[in-house]
Amino acid sequence: MVVWIGGAPGAGKSTVARALARRHGLRLYGSDTRTWVHRDRALRAGNLHAIRWEELTPKERWARATDELLAMSLHDERGRMVLDDLAALPDTPLVVAEGTSLPAAAAGVDNAVWLLPTRDFQRDQLDRRSTAPGQVRLYTALREVIADEARKYSLPTLTIDDHADTLRAVEAMLDVPLRQGPHAGGERERQELLREQNQALIEQVQGFYARPWAVGDPEESTVDFVCECGNPWCDKEIRARVRDYRSPCRAER
């Protein structure tokens, strides 16, 4: 059982999905945390775009034409890998899947919403993150590709701008599957799901720094870990180095 929150970069998908997963006791699947696993899989399959991505230095890569960046992003290829990932997850609780790489063709009108930021809102969010120009070009292009996919498959969409109450709107649009569940059974299971989220973040960081062109120490990298207190309404995040994150955090109650 899956609910889908797809959409363009900079739309707030991860923030909304994390809140819904905690509030309703769901398993979170974030496609970004699988980026390097998917790229390794594409490399093993001999995907030429994946090979080209790894051959280029970051400076060379982000200077490429936008069409080439789109091809090297593996958007379509990763969508198929997302389906494989989801099929391997336990049957319960309900999964909330989020990410730019979610395949629109696999989602349904009753259990999905695609978040589409306006051009100005997306650019503002990318500026806030100090996103490099090459990445801005890619993410802007992906916005158009993903919007076209949502229209093609007649998926429910939500336009995101400065005035959007995104969490409330998405929760209302997905009200039925969120209520039906199944949900985590208790606080201990909720804590295990939150730890699973944090472990996925650690593996994402480690996967990046395993690249031959990456510079830095993954253990010294800082990550915004979610609190594992099990309180459905807790939105506390703990920024810590990967190497220092060893035990569940506790928010003040």
Side-chain angles (χ1 to χ4, degrees):
M1 297 285 292
V2 179
V3 293
W4 306 76
I5 302 177
K13 302 179 299 300
S14 298
T15 300
V16 169
R18 283 197 301 267
L20 293 180
R22 179 185 285 276
R23 184 177 296 183
H24 295 275
L26 310 179
R27 170 171 277 109
L28 177 65
Y29 171 87
S31 64
D32 280 355
T33 66
R34 301 290 291 174
T35 296
W36 308 109
V37 173
H38 290 170
R39 285 199 167 276
D40 284 339
R41 178 174 167 182
L43 288 170
R44 290 193 297 272
N47 183 286
L48 296 180
H49 296 305
I51 293 170
R52 182 60 173 157
W53 175 278
E54 300 292 345
E55 288 176 341
L56 296 169
T57 66
K59 182 177 181 180
E60 293 170 334
R61 179 186 307 143
W62 294 113
R64 310 303 293 181
T66 302
D67 286 349
E68 187 174 356
L69 289 175
L70 275 171
M72 292 192 295
S73 76
L74 307 182
H75 180 68
D76 292 336
E77 295 89 340
R78 291 194 62 206
R80 293 187 287 272
M81 297 180 201
V82 165
L83 294 181
D84 291 339
D85 291 343
L86 293 174
L89 294 176
D91 292 334
T92 60
L94 180 70
V95 175
V96 54
E98 66 86 13
T100 299
S101 301
L102 299 192
V109 297
D110 295 325
N111 64 338
V113 58
W114 253 233
L115 307 185
L116 304 178
T118 63
R119 184 180 298 274
D120 289 343
F121 182 85
Q122 184 191 47
R123 187 56 185 259
D124 181 65
Q125 295 304 301
L126 297 178
D127 287 346
R128 289 172 185 265
R129 301 174 188 176
S130 300
T131 309
Q135 292 168 299
V136 170
R137 285 192 293 111
L138 172 60
Y139 297 159
T140 301
L142 280 170
R143 173 183 170 275
E144 302 303 322
V145 169
I146 291 167
D148 287 344
E149 292 173 345
R151 285 190 289 268
K152 178 179 179 181
Y153 295 102
S154 302
L155 295 179
T157 61
L158 184 64
T159 299
I160 308 299
D161 59 22
D162 286 325
H163 304 291
D165 187 347
T166 308
L167 176 57
R168 186 187 299 274
V170 171
E171 194 167 29
M173 294 173 75
L174 297 175
D175 176 65
V176 172
L178 289 176
R179 283 191 290 106
Q180 290 178 339
H183 309 100
E187 182 173 341
R188 181 170 181 176
E189 187 177 357
R190 285 175 177 267
Q191 289 176 328
E192 290 173 351
L193 291 171
L194 292 166
R195 172 144 289 264
E196 186 178 287
Q197 291 182 39
N198 288 334
Q199 184 60 40
L201 292 173
I202 290 172
E203 292 172 359
Q204 179 184 7
V205 170
Q206 292 174 334
F208 171 79
Y209 283 105
R211 320 317 283 185
W213 40 260
V215 178
D217 181 356
E219 299 304 305
E220 291 290 343
S221 299
T222 54
V223 178
D224 289 325
F225 294 102
V226 297
C227 178
E228 294 173 23
C229 68
N231 175 0
W233 302 103
C234 173
D235 60 0
K236 186 178 180 66
E237 291 185 343
I238 292 83
R239 190 161 182 79
R241 290 181 296 183
V242 168
R243 71 175 186 178
D244 294 336
Y245 196 78
R246 293 291 183 268
S247 60
C249 50
R250 289 288 187 267
E252 294 181 3
R253 303 193 188 188

